[in-house]
Structures are given as C-alpha cells and as structure tokens.
C-alpha cells in the first residue's frame, strides 16, 4: 500500500501541517513497519503534534526497530506510544537513548501509582549500589534516572488518555510529587552507601555505625511539599539533621551534609543519563549563604529570631519528602505555631502583598503577557492569594491549614472566608493553568512557564491540553481566564480585612470568650453587654451567613471602636444585616470588596443621620464597594431619572412619592461622600442643591401638566411659573439640614389675572404638600419674599417689578443677591433675574443704604441670636461665622456689582474670590474669611450627620464635640483641638469683618485722622 493514496485534505484533516513531509513520512513508515499507514492514521489524529509524532516514530523504527515494532503490534500500546511522541519530544529522545524503556507504554496505567509503590520500585532500581565510593555510584544513579523517566512516561501516557485532563490534574500532580519523593529517597539510599566506609579509610567516608546514627530528613517545600508538582520543576527542599545513638551533633551534621550533597548530585548533576531536575535548597535559613544542613534546634532558633515574613510563607507547604519521616514531622510540628502566628507580625500582610508586586515587576516586558506562572492572571496570583488567606485565617481555624492550593480553596470556601463561586472559579482556572504548564513542560522536558507566541505551537498546545482545537480558541480562553483570575486576585488579595484580622490580638478572635465584655469596654464600647447581644444575634447558628459574620465581626468591631460611636454603629449594622443578610451580595461584598466593610463601619459609627436613612434604602450600602458610586450625581443625570419617573406615573402623588425616594437616596449618597471625605464643602453644597432642585422641578412638573410633561417638559396650564432659589440654596451652598429658601413667581399665559393667581397658588400648595417628607424633612422657606411674612406667597412678575421699583427695602435688595432661577419656565426665569439684577446691582448705592445694611447686621447679632446662645459658638450668626462672611461679601456686591460683573454671582466663595482678584479685599483677609466660612459650614453639616438633628451651636459636651471632630477628620480625642481651632479662626475672621465691614480698627491698632 502506498502513502500517495492519501489526499492532502485527508492529511490536513488528520492534523498534519507539513503535508509534503507527511506523505513521504507515511510512505517510509509503511516501509519500515510493514504496517498499513491508513490503519494507523486515526491514531495519529489523536496526537497533539502529528508531524512530530510521525518523525519520532520513524526515528525509532530506524534506530530500534525490534522494540518499536513490539509496541506497534499492540493497537492500544501503539496509540499510547504515538500520543506520547506527539506530546513530548523529550520522551521521544529518551526512547532513542533507551529503546527498551518503551515498555512503559506496553500496558495501560489505570490509576496514578501509590506513594509506597513508587518508593519501593525506585529503591529496587538502586539496589546493590557501591559502598565507600566518595563520588557516588554513577551506575546506580543512572539506573535511578532511567527508572524515573520510565515512570514519567507511564504517567504521561495516563495523563494524555484522560477524558477530562483538567479534572484529572490533581491526581497526576500528586503522583509527580510522590515520584520526586521516591527518587530523592533512592538517591539518598545511594548516598548512604557511598559515604559508608567499606574497607579502607578515605576523605568523605564514615564509619557505618555513625552513618546509621545520622538522621537526615528531606523536607519538601513549594509544589513538592504540597503534592502539586509539575512534569519538570525545581524540587525545593530543606535538610534537617539529628544525631542518634550518642553520636556527636556536629559529626551528625557533617555526615548529613555529605549525604545531602550526594543526594542532590545523583539527581541534578550531569551524568551519562541527563539530569532529572534541580534540587533547590535555597529556601533554607539564610538561603545560599546558610549552612546546607542544620539541626532541628538550629532551625528553630533561626525562625524564632531572624526569619523574614516570606520564609514563614514558604513553610506553609513543608512536609517530609524523603529520609527520616519522624524527624520531618517533628520539624513541621515545632514550626507550626510560628507559621500560623506569623501573620500577626507587624506589617506581615502588606509585606506579602509588596513581595507579590515585586515578583510581577521583575518579569521582562516581553514576557508579561505570556507568563503562565508569574504574570498577571497567572498561577502566582492564585497561589499568593490562597496562601495569604490561609496564613491570616489559619491563626484560629485549623481547617484551612492545607498543604495544597486546591484543598486550601475548598477549606476556605467551607469556612466562609471566600465565596463558593470564587473558590470554584479559582480552582477551575488553577487547574487549567497547571494543565497548560504541564503540557508545555512535557514537550521538551524542560522547565518553562511561557505560552508560545507562534500560531502553530499554540495549536499544538491546544490539542495537547484538550482545552481548545485551534490557536485562536486557546488564546481567547487564556485571555478571559487571565482577566478573571486577576480580578479575583486583586479583590481578595488586597481586601483590607486581611490586614485587620492579622493585626488582631489572638483573644480578639474569640467573640464569645469570657473576656469579650471587658475587651469591648476596653476598646470603646459604652454598653459592652448590649454589644455582645448584637454579636450573638449576628453570629448565632450554623448557617453560612452566621459563619461569614463570625469571620467579619472581629475585624469590624475594631473598626467600629475606631469610630466616634461604636455602640450605635454596631446597632445600625445589626439592623442592616437583618434587612440585607438574606441577600446574596451583602455579606459577600463586605468580605471580598476592597474597603467596603471599613467604609461601612466608619459611616455607621460616625453618623446617626446615615444610620436612620439607611433603614429606608438599605441596598444603598452597595455603593460602598466603589468610590465612584459615592460621588455626587450631576444635575443632568438626576433630571434624566426624573423624566423617566414622570413618564411612568401619570398621578402626581405617585410620582412625588418616587421623587421623594430619589431625594432620600441621593442625600444618603452625599452623606456617605461627606462622612468618608470624598467631596469638598463646595461639592457637597452643589450636590445638595441639585438634589433639592431636582425634587422641586419634578413635583412642579407633575402638578402642572400631567398630559404632556414628558414630551416637551413645558406645561400648557395658562401661566408661566418659576421657583427662585434664595439664600444658601440660591448660592448652591446647602448643608445637611439646611432650609431651602425660595420665592415663587408667575406670569399669565392665557388665563385671566385672577385665575393665574389662583393657579399659581394651587401649584405652590401642591408643591408644599407633595414635597413634605417626615423621614427627611424639607422646609421650603418663603420668608425672603417681598414684605416678608406679610406678603403673598406667590406674585406675578409685574407685581415683583412694581414692588421693587416702589417699595423695596435695602435688606430685600441684599436678599436678591443670592437669587438664582432654579425651576420653571425659562423665559420667566430670565425675566425675573433681569428684574433682580436692576435691584441688587445698582449703579450707585447711597451711603444711607450702606449704613442701613450695617445697622441691620448689628440688629441681627443682638436680636436673632437665640437666648443664652454663646455668640462665639454659633455657627451661623456667631462672631466670625457664616453670617459675618456672607454679609461682608454681600455689601461688596451691592457696592461694586454694577462696576465689576464678576461679582454678580449668588455664591459667597466665588464672590469673595472675585473681590480679592479685583483688589477689594487683601488676599490674607480673604483667606481668613474663606477658612472660617468653610469650617463653620463643615461643622454645621457635621452636627446634622452626627446627631441626626439640625443645630447651629458648636456643642460644649465633649462627647458630642468629639463626634463632630471625627467627621471633620480630627483624630480620636481631639474635641478640644477642634474647639480651639474654631474659636481661633473665627476670632481672626471677626477681626477682619469688624475692620472691613464696620470700619472698627483691630485691637492694638491706633486710630488715625
């Protein structure tokens, strides 16, 4: 039969890439084997690299026809051989050197061999090694290496025949680790005979009794210790020696050192049969500079005094691999307390995180994207994450003290330290990465972790792994896995709970201990018994929810204690957990998110305002996961949502209910942002003003024109209507608890004047009714309207014009300085502002008017200040506080607003800055006034956040003042410091105000003239 009967399509379908060579190769195969090439063509189709499999098989038929044909005559054996040849050029080279070892594929391996089977077989391979050979018995080591590769071939054949190689990875990795341990055991056996004195003394030879009395344990570290070894990997070891039967300890170390060196030589040094892998002892104390072998006591002394954090992490996977198992077990037991308490060392978690970053930073730029092991989204991301979680939580939970990565993931999920979904994803991605690593290393039996860049090589890897059929499919699979692994790694590895748990004193991990009440009192809880009741309620039972709470609470309690009111914080957290604990995302977010849990404890222990609002919209805590969600929303975004609400609700009452909910939600967002110091006073003022304006706008639209409000936004109800923002609302400087000062204007647009007046009054009444909110009150204050309380609530634009032209008082012109068109028909808003401009920015202001402003200010200070209120502590009307700065700026606007257009702004701070630029205020004075205004504004909002009550008085009570101070970013116990800072700053601001507003010289300044 001739191979020319194969069409190119048939060869390509089989998997050949070099079709010309394939045709000639199949012809030669027929000639050498006497077997029909067509009969074996389906077998070649199962090989990862069909071209390589055919080339290797032909080479074997040429060099060792007898042994090769013996395998090919058995169809199952032939299939195994061709699969091995197609996956591993390294094993093909082994067969060419040792053709008899093709017997490895003669019989199927039904399951990975047991550890004892491997150990016995490898020892049998070196049986009868030479005595007294100081260089070691090379013949025995050659037999050892050949036998190792025979077993490696059997494992590779088994691995390649698995229906699901991803699922079967665990068993193969364990068998590879067991094979490495058996190989070390056999090499050590050769070494023991080599150093044993036979007949005549020599260097490096010792009396048989002394060799027997030298106990040497070879500790497996890293993947070997974890029983998750690769096909070709350094085997990390540590050697421990001990003297027995009265042997001197120093002598035992000397003998053990010689044994260790020969054991390593038998595996790693160049001999007739190539080395197997590197035996790496650099994880020992002091690394390359340290002694190769130490006693157990020497190891313990080093780790107690000198070891660095990474060395404890390395010990996580230590297990006896060869030699004296009892000594090895004692080594593990003796160091276990140090390993599992190592995360309590100062800066431990952070140092591990920095070490991972250094590893990533040292990857060559051209290898970052193809690194399976060290690169982002690679094996190290998973391993570092898992090991850090183990070390942190293994302090108190022995169930997570697992050697292997995959068993550790199972234990961490069972313990509630990571989600089951995350554990399953990590496990699957880990197995896939390890499978790719295995197939890459199997190709040439070389240590590599780099994905190929060549499309043909990627195709071979895809076929070898069974994960994909083409190069592009494998690349896409790897890219998605990389993103998934990196995302999970960053979320879990850097989450701050780890640092916090690691820093807890050991007794703090047991929330139900007898000392818990005293501990809670010691860290700041005023009602420790009540706190314990909350803890018990949160952690009771065996549910996964309770388990996660038990892990979260030790850390969160310390964060609560760092806040101003830990008792309220814990109470609010319990209420929140009762509301959201049954959801799939709440506890998971707190456990896995970077910073959400700490942010939650800060806002709950620092703000009753937030705690109460959260009861209305508990799902809002989801924002704490991402700082971007805590930023104030733009007016445009709010308007879009309002339009959608109005489109869904034709009934004004229903629409208003939703709009009030939006206001509560957005005020809560701003409260989060302010408490977490994510927005400035200016941003807060703008945000609160936008939220208030949005509610007014939505309710007015709902009341006015239900039929067409969602089409044009313009109501056809016979009038034009406008809401004018005044005061701090007009200046977009609202704080928490601020009233919204407004005026209402209308203009007939079809209706008779009387009907237009009635329509406007109806809109105002409905606005007041529909905007009322008992949970988050909003006071639409119309006290700044013409004639004050005696004037009508709403006026026509013509009425405003007539009033201001004939009757307007100075204080009304001053009030208009903060007027801003907020809501309503644009033409009416523009016309009203034009009327206001003519009043508030006069071409010239009479001196009598200036004196009137000053007189009214003095009257306000004496009459409007609440009885018994300390003028030094009143945030709004006190000396050097908000009103001093605002009245001073407003007087400048009245005097110079016509000449300096930049002063025409309702914003106090912008007007102050423009006055400074215009030379009206010295820069130093302006800085003092600005600082005083900002501190008073921040303190005012902080008072509301802290107490959930509106107050303008800086409290004297140290506890209350301390709570305000914490919200202003003062450290714990800084109540006095806030008081001193406020009084000093407002005293300086008052001095500037009196000098520049009243013309009173500062104390100590001589009068002139």
């Amino acid at each position: 039969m001739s191979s020319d009967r194969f069409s190119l399509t048939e060869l390509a379908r089989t998997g050949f890439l070099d079709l010309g060579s394939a045709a000639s190769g199949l012809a030669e195969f027929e000639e050498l084997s006497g077997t029909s090439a067509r009969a074996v063509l389906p077998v070649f189709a199962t090989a990862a690299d069909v071209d390589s499999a055919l080339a290797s098989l032909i080479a074997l038929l040429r060099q060792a026809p007898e042994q090769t044909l013996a395998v090919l005559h058995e169809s199952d054996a032939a299939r195994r051989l061709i699969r091995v040849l197609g996956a591993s050029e390294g094993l093909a080279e082994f067969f060419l050197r040792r053709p008899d070892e093709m017997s490895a594929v003669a019989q199927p391996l039904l399951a990975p061999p047991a550890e004892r089977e491997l150990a016995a077989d490898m020892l049998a391979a070196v049986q009868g090694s030479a005595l007294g050979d100081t260089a070691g018995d090379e013949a025995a080591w050659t037999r050892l290496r050949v036998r190792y590769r025979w077993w490696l071939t059997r494992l590779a054949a088994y691995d390649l025949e698995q229906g699901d190689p991803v699922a079967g990875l665990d068993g193969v990795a364990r068998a590879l680790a067991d094979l490495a341990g058996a190989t070390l055991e056999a090499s050590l056996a050769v070494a023991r005979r080599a150093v044993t004195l036979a007949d005549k003394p020599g260097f490096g030879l010792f009396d048989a009794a002394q060799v027997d009395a030298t106990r040497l344990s070879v500790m497996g570290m890293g993947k070997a210790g974890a029983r998750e070894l690769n096909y070709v990997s350094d085997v990390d070891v540590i050697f421990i020696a001990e003297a027995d039967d009265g042997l001197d300890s120093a002598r035992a170390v000397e003998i053990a050192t010689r044994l260790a060196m020969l054991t390593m030589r038998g595996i790693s040094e160049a001999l007739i049969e190539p080395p197997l892998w590197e035996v790496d002892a650099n994880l020992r104390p002091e690394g390359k500079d340290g002694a190769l072998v130490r006693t157990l006591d020497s190891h313990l002394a080093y780790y107690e005094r000198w070891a660095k954090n990474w060395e404890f992490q390395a010990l996580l996977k230590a297990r006896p691999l060869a030699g004296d198992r009892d000594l090895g077990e004692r080594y593990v037991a003796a160091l276990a307390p140090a390993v599992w308490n190592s995360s309590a060392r100062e800066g431990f978690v952070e140092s591990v995180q920095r070490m991972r970053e250094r590893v990533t930073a040292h990857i060559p730029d051209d290898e970052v994207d193809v690194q399976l092991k060290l690169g982002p989204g690679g094996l190290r991301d998973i391993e570092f994450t898992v090991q850090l979680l183990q070390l942190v939580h293994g302090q108190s939970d022995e169930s997570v003290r697992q050697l292997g990565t995959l068993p550790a993931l199972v234990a961490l999920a069972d313990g509630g330290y990571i989600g089951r979904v995350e554990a399953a994803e990590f496990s699957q991605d880990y197995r896939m990465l390890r499978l790719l690593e295995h197939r890459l290393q199997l190709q040439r039996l070389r240590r590599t972790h780099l994905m190929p860049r060549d499309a043909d090589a990627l195709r071979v890897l895809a076929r070898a792994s069974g994960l994909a059929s083409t190069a592009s499919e494998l690349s896409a699979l790897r890219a998605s896995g990389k993103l998934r692994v990196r995302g999970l790694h960053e979320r879990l590895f850097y989450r701050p709970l780890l640092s916090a748990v690691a820093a807890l004193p050991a007794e703090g991990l047991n929330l139900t201990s007898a000392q818990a009440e005293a501990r809670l009192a010691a860290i700041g809880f005023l009602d420790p018994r009540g706190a314990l009741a909350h803890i018990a309620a949160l952690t009771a039972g065996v549910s996964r929810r309770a388990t996660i709470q038990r892990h979260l609470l030790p850390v969160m309690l310390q964060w609560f204690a760092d806040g101003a009111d830990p008792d309220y914080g814990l109470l609010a957290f319990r209420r929140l957990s009762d509301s959201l604990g049954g959801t799939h995302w709440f506890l998971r977010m707190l456990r896995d998110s970077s910073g959400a849990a700490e942010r939650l404890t800060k806002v709950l222990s620092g703000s009753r305002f937030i705690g109460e609002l959260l009861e209305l919209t508990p799902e809002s805590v989801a924002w704490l996961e991402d700082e971007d969600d805590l930023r104030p929303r733009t007016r445009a975004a709010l308007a879009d949502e309002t339009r959608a609400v109005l489109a869904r609700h034709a009934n004004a009452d229903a629409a208003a209910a939703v709009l009030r909910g939006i206001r509560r939600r957005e005020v809560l967002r701003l409260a989060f942002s302010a408490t977490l110091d994510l927005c400035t006073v200016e941003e807060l003022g703008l945000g609160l003003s936008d939220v208030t304006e949005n509610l007014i706008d939505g309710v007015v639209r709902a009341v006015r024109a239900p039929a067409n409000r969602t089409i044009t936004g313009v109501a056809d109800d016979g009038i034009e209507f406008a809401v004018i923002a005044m005061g701090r609302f007009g200046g977009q400087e609202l704080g928490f608890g601020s009233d919204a000062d407004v005026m209402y204007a209308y203009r007939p647009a079809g209706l008779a004047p009387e009907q237009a007046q009635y329509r406007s009054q109806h809109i105002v009444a409905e606005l007041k009714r529909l905007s009322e909110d008992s949970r988050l009150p909003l006071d639409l204050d119309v006290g700044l309207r013409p004639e004050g309380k005696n004037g009508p609530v709403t006026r026509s634009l013509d009425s405003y014009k007539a009033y201001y032209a004939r009757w307007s008082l100075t204080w009304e012109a001053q009030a208009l300085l903060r007027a801003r068109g907020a809501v309503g028909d644009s033409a009416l808003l523009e016309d009203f502002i034009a009327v206001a401009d003519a009043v508030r920015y006069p071409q010239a202001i009479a001196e009598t008017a200036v004196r009137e402003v000053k007189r009214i200010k003095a009257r306000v200070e004496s009459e409007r200040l609440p009885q018994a209120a300390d003028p030094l502590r009143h945030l709004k009307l006190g000396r050097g506080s908000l009103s001093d700065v605002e009245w001073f700026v407003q007087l400048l606007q009245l005097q110079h607003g016509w000449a300096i257009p930049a002063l025409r702004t309702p914003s106090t701070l912008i007007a102050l800055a423009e006055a400074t630029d215009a030379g009206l205020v010295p820069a130093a004075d302006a800085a003092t006034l600005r600082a005083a205004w900002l501190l008073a504004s921040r303190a005012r909002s902080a008072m509301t956040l802290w107490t959930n009550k509106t107050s303008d008085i800086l409290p004297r009570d140290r506890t209350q003042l301390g709570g305000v101070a914490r919200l202003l970013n003062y450290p714990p116990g800084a109540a006095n410091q806030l008081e001193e800072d406020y009084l000093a700053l407002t005293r300086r601001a008052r001095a500037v105000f009196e000098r520049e507003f009243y013309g009173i010289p500062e104390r100590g300044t001589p009068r002139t003239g």
Side-chain angles (χ1 to χ4, degrees):
M1 181 178 289
S2 173
S3 62
D4 61 7
R5 294 178 56 187
F6 295 109
S7 67
L8 295 180
T9 300
E10 196 172 8
L11 294 175
R13 189 180 297 119
T14 302
F16 288 104
L17 293 177
D18 189 344
L19 303 183
S21 297
S24 60
L26 288 170
E28 185 176 1
F29 168 78
E30 286 186 342
E31 180 181 345
L32 292 173
S33 66
T35 303
S36 166
R38 183 170 297 281
V40 297
L41 198 63
V43 180
F44 276 109
T46 66
D49 188 341
V50 185
D51 299 85
S52 180
L54 178 58
S56 297
L57 187 58
I58 292 171
L60 286 170
L61 284 167
R62 291 172 182 164
Q63 187 165 320
E66 181 181 348
Q67 296 92 331
T68 307
L69 289 172
V71 175
L72 290 177
H73 287 160
E74 296 290 337
S75 60
D76 288 345
R79 185 187 66 252
R80 285 189 288 274
L81 176 62
I82 290 173
R83 277 188 168 172
V84 168
L85 295 178
S88 178
E89 294 177 14
L91 288 177
E93 292 171 0
F94 171 58
F95 290 153
L96 288 170
R97 290 195 310 273
R98 311 278 178 177
D100 290 339
E101 304 309 317
M102 276 189 281
S103 63
V105 298
Q107 297 297 323
L109 185 64
L110 301 179
E115 186 176 9
R116 290 184 179 180
E117 179 186 356
L118 290 170
D121 191 73
M122 297 303 286
L123 284 171
V126 298
Q127 189 72 31
S129 64
L131 276 172
D133 186 344
T134 57
D137 187 341
E138 292 194 10
W141 282 332
T142 297
R143 296 196 301 275
L144 173 69
R145 296 181 183 189
V146 170
R147 195 60 179 173
Y148 173 89
R149 290 195 168 97
W150 184 88
W151 273 111
L152 193 69
T153 302
R154 286 186 61 72
L155 276 172
Y158 166 82
D159 190 6
L160 293 167
E161 286 198 312
Q162 292 187 101
D164 186 353
V166 175
L169 177 92
D170 306 28
V172 173
R174 282 194 299 269
L176 288 168
D178 293 344
L179 179 58
T183 305
L184 282 164
E185 193 73 71
S187 187
L188 177 58
V190 174
R192 281 194 175 276
R193 289 181 61 81
V195 302
T196 301
L197 183 64
D199 44 19
K200 53 184 179 180
F203 174 77
L205 298 177
F206 307 92
D207 182 75
Q210 292 185 336
V211 175
D212 291 342
T214 299
R215 306 177 70 178
L216 176 64
S217 180
V218 184
M219 300 300 301
M221 308 290 284
K223 285 185 168 62
R227 295 186 77 197
E228 49 189 23
L229 203 60
N230 299 329
Y231 275 99
V232 183
S233 177
D234 291 354
V235 174
D236 297 309
V237 299
I238 288 179
F239 296 104
I240 306 107
E242 188 173 74
D244 202 3
D245 294 336
L247 181 66
D248 179 68
S249 181
R251 185 64 165 174
V253 170
E254 180 186 359
I255 296 172
T257 300
R258 185 64 183 161
L259 290 173
M261 293 172 65
L262 288 176
T263 299
M264 296 167 69
R265 181 169 185 255
I267 293 171
S268 302
E269 288 194 10
L271 300 173
I272 295 174
E273 180 68 17
L276 299 179
W277 21 261
E278 184 74 21
V279 181
D280 189 343
N282 289 332
L283 291 178
R284 66 186 184 269
E286 300 180 78
K288 293 180 180 179
D289 298 327
L292 180 62
V293 179
R294 290 174 181 253
T295 63
L296 178 57
D297 288 342
S298 177
H299 275 280
L300 296 179
Y302 173 83
Y303 285 108
E304 182 179 347
R305 187 171 184 183
W306 303 109
K308 297 180 175 62
N309 288 334
W310 69 264
E311 293 178 280
F312 291 106
Q313 186 179 359
L315 287 170
L316 189 70
K317 297 182 179 297
R319 74 175 175 98
L321 194 61
D324 194 304
R325 299 301 175 103
D326 175 69
L327 177 58
E329 294 292 353
R330 285 192 284 121
Y331 173 87
V332 171
L335 285 174
V339 172
W340 297 112
N341 291 321
S342 61
S343 65
R345 292 159 64 110
E346 184 176 355
F348 174 84
V349 173
E350 291 77 9
S351 70
V352 174
Q353 291 170 341
R354 299 294 84 76
M355 182 170 69
R356 173 65 187 124
E357 290 169 359
R358 287 195 297 273
V359 168
T360 304
H362 286 121
I363 302 173
D365 291 342
D366 62 340
E367 293 183 4
V368 170
D369 292 334
V370 293
Q371 256 283 358
L372 284 174
K373 180 179 180 181
L374 303 178
L379 288 163
R380 274 292 184 268
D381 275 353
I382 300 175
E383 290 166 351
F384 264 78
T385 301
V386 172
Q387 289 168 26
L388 182 56
L389 287 166
Q390 284 182 275
L391 287 168
V392 169
H393 297 297
Q395 292 181 81
S396 58
D397 189 348
E398 294 186 5
S399 70
V400 304
R401 300 180 183 181
Q402 304 288 330
L403 293 174
T405 301
L406 293 169
L409 277 168
V410 173
L412 288 166
D414 289 344
Y417 300 106
I418 60 175
R420 296 192 188 279
V421 173
E422 285 85 351
E425 288 182 358
F426 251 180
S427 296
Q428 182 69 6
D429 286 321
Y430 185 72
R431 288 187 174 98
M432 289 173 59
L433 286 167
R434 292 295 308 281
L435 178 61
L436 290 172
E437 187 181 44
H438 277 199
R439 295 298 185 262
L440 283 170
Q441 294 179 351
L442 188 58
Q443 284 180 357
R444 293 177 177 80
L445 291 186
R446 293 177 186 170
R447 184 170 176 261
T448 181
H449 309 286
L450 300 179
M451 287 279 286
R453 295 181 174 89
D454 177 71
D456 290 342
L458 274 172
R459 173 179 171 274
V460 169
L461 181 59
R463 289 168 60 94
S465 64
L467 296 174
S469 57
T470 65
S472 59
E473 286 179 10
L474 183 63
S475 295
L477 184 70
R478 172 68 186 118
S480 63
K482 184 189 297 185
L483 290 174
R484 188 167 52 249
V485 168
R486 190 61 179 176
L488 281 169
H489 162 74
E490 290 176 345
R491 196 163 77 231
L492 297 177
F493 191 73
Y494 289 96
R495 74 176 193 238
L497 277 178
L498 297 178
S499 296
V501 170
L504 274 174
E507 68 272 12
L509 296 172
N510 186 358
L511 298 180
T512 59
S513 68
Q515 295 79 29
E517 193 171 320
R519 165 76 187 281
L520 290 169
I523 63 176
F525 283 85
L526 299 179
D527 181 13
R529 184 166 299 176
L532 275 180
H534 297 321
I535 293 166
L538 288 165
T539 60
V542 295
S543 66
R544 184 168 180 79
R545 169 183 169 182
T547 299
I548 295 174
Q549 289 279 24
R550 284 194 287 272
H551 299 321
L552 288 170
L553 275 173
V555 182
M556 296 186 73
L557 287 173
Q558 292 230 330
W559 284 335
F560 280 128
D562 290 339
D565 190 350
D567 296 88
Y568 178 78
L570 182 57
L571 170 62
F573 178 68
R574 179 181 174 183
R575 291 172 178 168
L576 193 61
S577 296
D578 289 343
S579 297
L580 297 176
T583 63
H584 71 281
W585 59 268
F586 174 58
L587 293 177
R588 176 181 174 185
M589 176 192 74
L590 295 183
R591 181 191 60 199
D592 297 343
S593 173
S594 177
E598 187 171 9
R599 292 188 192 112
L600 180 60
T601 58
K602 184 173 181 178
V603 298
L604 291 182
S605 63
S607 173
R608 287 178 177 259
F609 181 85
I610 289 176
E612 298 300 320
L613 268 185
L614 265 178
E615 292 187 25
L616 303 178
T617 55
E619 65 279 359
S620 300
V621 294
W623 302 331
L624 295 170
E625 189 170 12
D626 188 343
E627 286 189 0
D628 289 340
D629 289 334
L630 299 172
R631 307 289 182 193
R633 294 180 70 198
T634 64
R635 179 70 176 86
L638 294 171
D640 288 342
E641 185 177 10
T642 296
R643 281 192 291 271
V645 170
L646 295 176
R648 292 195 302 271
H649 299 280
N651 180 274
D653 287 71
V658 178
L659 294 172
R660 290 194 300 272
I662 292 174
R663 173 175 173 261
R664 293 187 206 118
R665 184 195 69 201
E666 294 307 318
V667 169
L668 177 58
R669 189 194 307 273
L670 290 162
F672 279 153
S673 188
T675 303
L676 297 170
D677 198 31
L678 296 176
C679 67
T680 64
V681 172
E682 297 94 322
E683 290 170 333
L684 176 63
L686 176 61
L688 287 170
S689 300
D690 284 346
V691 170
T692 302
E693 186 177 311
N694 184 71
L695 174 67
I696 297 172
D697 184 38
V699 172
V700 168
R701 288 175 183 271
V703 170
R704 291 186 67 195
N708 67 343
R709 64 177 179 266
T710 60
I711 299 173
T712 65
V714 177
D716 184 14
D717 56 352
I719 66 169
E720 292 177 86
F721 182 81
V723 180
I724 310 301
M726 303 290 287
R728 292 174 71 83
F729 181 30
Q732 295 181 302
E733 298 163 347
L734 289 181
F736 294 107
S738 294
D739 295 343
D741 292 313
V742 295
M743 293 197 306
Y744 303 112
Y746 71 92
R747 180 163 55 191
L751 289 179
E754 296 81 4
Q755 292 175 315
Q757 174 73 18
Y758 176 79
R759 178 61 178 162
S760 176
Q761 290 172 345
H762 172 73
I763 294 172
V764 171
E766 285 295 279
L767 172 60
K768 181 175 178 59
R769 180 179 71 86
L770 294 175
S771 62
E772 287 180 349
D773 189 341
S774 61
R775 302 303 298 269
L776 185 62
L778 173 62
D779 183 7
L780 298 176
D781 191 340
V782 292
L784 294 178
R785 67 189 185 274
E787 301 180 78
K789 294 180 181 180
N790 298 319
V793 172
T794 178
R795 288 175 180 261
S796 68
L797 181 63
D798 288 343
S799 176
Y800 277 108
K801 285 181 182 178
Y803 178 85
Y804 286 130
R806 186 172 183 183
W807 305 107
S808 175
L809 301 176
T810 303
W811 74 264
E812 291 172 314
Q814 184 181 351
L816 284 174
L817 289 168
R818 312 294 295 277
R820 174 178 59 85
V823 169
D825 297 295
S826 58
L828 178 58
L829 290 171
E830 291 176 7
D831 290 345
F832 183 93
I833 293 303
V835 171
D837 283 349
V839 177
R840 60 187 172 180
Y841 304 128
Q843 186 170 358
I845 183 171
E847 184 60 32
T848 56
V850 173
R851 286 198 299 270
E852 178 67 6
V853 171
K854 295 178 180 181
R855 185 190 67 78
I856 295 174
K857 176 65 169 84
R859 182 180 172 188
V860 167
E861 290 181 9
S862 63
E863 296 180 5
R864 288 189 57 192
L865 201 65
Q867 190 174 5
D870 184 349
L872 298 178
R873 306 181 76 87
H874 201 283
L875 300 169
K876 181 179 180 181
L877 303 176
R879 299 167 63 83
S881 65
L882 293 172
S883 74
D884 277 3
V885 179
E886 291 168 356
W887 280 68
F888 170 64
V889 170
Q890 288 161 18
L891 180 57
L892 292 176
Q893 290 178 290
L894 287 170
Q895 291 174 314
H896 305 284
W898 187 85
I900 305 174
L903 289 176
R904 301 174 189 176
T905 171
S907 167
T908 300
L909 292 184
I910 294 175
L912 178 60
E914 295 296 340
T916 306
D917 291 343
L920 301 177
V921 184
D925 289 347
T928 299
L929 294 173
R930 174 185 170 83
W933 190 93
L934 288 173
L935 181 56
S937 295
R938 292 178 66 208
R940 228 177 147 210
S941 282
M943 284 292 300
T944 303
L945 288 171
W946 169 240
T947 64
N948 196 26
K949 297 176 183 177
T950 301
S951 174
D952 289 322
I953 305 293
L954 192 70
R956 291 185 181 276
D957 179 82
R958 297 296 100 176
T959 300
Q960 298 301 318
L961 188 59
V964 174
R966 296 301 303 278
L967 286 166
L968 298 182
N969 294 321
Y970 282 80
N976 290 340
Q977 185 62 52
L978 168 60
E979 184 177 63
E980 292 173 7
D981 290 348
Y982 178 80
L983 295 177
L985 181 56
T986 53
R987 184 172 59 251
R988 294 196 300 272
R990 181 66 180 187
V992 172
F993 172 76
E994 290 182 342
R995 169 168 38 86
E996 299 296 329
F997 187 84
Y998 287 126
I1000 301 174
E1002 292 186 37
R1003 187 174 301 176
T1005 304
R1007 292 180 179 271
T1008 60

